[in-house]
Amino acid sequence: MLLNIKELNKTFGDLHVLKDINLSVGKNEFVAILGPSGSGKSTLFQLIGGNQTPNQGEILLNGESINGKTGFISYMPQQSSLFPWRTVLENVVLAAELNGKPDYEEAKLWLEKVGLAEFANSYPIELSGGMKQRVSFIRALLSKQNLLCLDEPFSALDEFTRLKMQKWLLSVWEENRKSILFITHSIEEALFLADRIYILSKRPAQVKAEIKVPFSRPRDESLLETNEFFLLKQQIFQFIREELSE
């Protein structure tokens, strides 16, 4: 396994946010985390990224502890977080720039792959929401870390743009196959994108279920209309509803 999280606990004073979290992400695997708002999903990413330290437990990357250590993962937040005074190209190379010498030619190649080559010298204010998220994702991809942590990257987009971005993400992932840990509130999004899904409880968050997604790859939007997809979506919805009603 690339990432192993063992018996992770996190508190803020008297507030117990994460309780005995165990989860893993394999090499080339796409793993989603589902859970209610306020359950500590973003705190989990802060711990993996080293911006917070756990009270108990261990975070292992390639078998080495990264508790409290930064610079080992790539991170894409809910908002694109592009610097308005930097061009698209300058934003794309930012993470690589912070870690050494940026490769502008590789950045241009990726912008061409994702249909943004003509916007390389544009500024973020000139881009749509979906275009900004593509730039943000390529920036994370070019940081050269083995694990990408994506924190609800499409939550602010309208439904049509969101589906378009999900399909785009899958196409890029199929080509690149980096390991991804993906936070979402959407059962449909998790099922469409992931190989496995962890379901978290309300706070203090615990892993209540782990689901292996049975659908083959590559996937397209026709999957969303199948009976198998609908039934699994309903099963997960019922599980989460029962958990929240306890």
Side-chain angles (χ1 to χ4, degrees):
M1 283 293 172
L2 175 68
L3 177 72
N4 257 315
I5 294 178
K6 300 180 178 180
E7 302 296 326
L8 200 67
N9 282 266
K10 181 62 180 177
T11 60
F12 295 97
D14 295 330
L15 183 64
H16 199 169
V17 179
L18 301 174
K19 182 179 179 182
D20 300 330
I21 297 290
N22 292 278
L23 61 81
S24 63
V25 180
K27 291 182 179 179
N28 309 319
E29 189 178 28
F30 199 127
V31 176
I33 297 176
L34 274 171
S37 296
S39 63
K41 299 185 297 298
S42 293
T43 298
L44 178 61
F45 271 14
Q46 292 294 315
L47 292 167
I48 296 171
N51 295 317
Q52 300 278 349
T53 55
N55 297 87
Q56 289 179 301
E58 200 163 24
I59 305 167
L60 301 172
L61 192 67
N62 284 319
E64 299 291 328
S65 175
I66 58 169
N67 285 24
K69 298 179 181 178
T70 60
F72 287 89
I73 68 163
S74 298
Y75 174 68
M76 181 178 170
Q78 294 180 25
Q79 303 299 323
S80 59
S81 300
L82 303 179
F83 289 107
W85 60 87
R86 294 180 69 116
T87 65
V88 166
L89 181 61
E90 290 168 342
N91 269 287
V92 164
V93 301
L94 179 60
E97 187 178 295
L98 295 173
N99 292 321
K101 187 177 179 180
D103 188 337
Y104 283 91
E105 292 309 310
E106 184 181 20
K108 290 177 182 177
L109 180 62
W110 270 105
L111 286 174
E112 185 174 347
K113 285 182 179 180
V114 303
L116 293 175
E118 64 184 290
F119 295 95
N121 296 314
S122 301
Y123 289 89
I125 196 172
E126 303 172 61
L127 306 182
S128 68
M131 292 163 71
K132 289 177 183 177
Q133 291 303 86
R134 277 184 275 171
V135 173
S136 183
F137 180 78
I138 297 305
R139 179 176 63 187
L141 197 64
L142 291 180
S143 70
K144 302 302 183 183
Q145 306 299 344
N146 292 326
L147 178 65
L148 297 181
C149 290
L150 310 184
D151 189 356
E152 297 189 76
F154 308 141
S155 60
L157 303 177
D158 62 80
E159 187 173 350
F160 177 79
T161 305
R162 185 169 182 153
L163 177 59
K164 184 177 179 181
M165 288 300 300
Q166 290 167 1
K167 291 163 59 181
W168 173 83
L169 175 58
L170 281 182
S171 69
V172 174
W173 180 78
E174 289 286 355
E175 179 180 344
N176 189 269
R177 285 283 178 162
K178 280 201 175 187
S179 300
I180 289 180
L181 188 59
F182 188 99
I183 288 176
T184 180
H185 281 104
S186 168
I187 298 172
E188 190 170 281
E189 184 168 67
L191 285 173
F192 185 53
L193 295 175
D195 298 306
R196 286 187 297 124
I197 301 170
Y198 287 100
I199 299 176
L200 299 186
S201 69
K202 57 189 176 184
R203 194 172 61 230
Q206 297 176 278
V207 175
K208 302 301 290 186
E210 177 187 346
I211 296 168
K212 183 173 176 58
V213 179
F215 310 122
S216 61
R217 297 187 184 276
R219 298 174 188 167
D220 60 46
E221 60 191 296
S222 63
L223 173 65
L224 306 178
E225 301 173 0
T226 63
N227 192 49
E228 292 80 5
F229 188 94
F230 176 77
L231 289 175
L232 188 51
K233 178 181 174 182
Q234 290 301 108
Q235 289 172 17
I236 295 173
F237 175 78
Q238 186 63 28
F239 183 91
I240 294 175
R241 186 169 68 175
E242 290 173 357
E243 165 63 27
L244 292 178
S245 65
E246 291 180 358

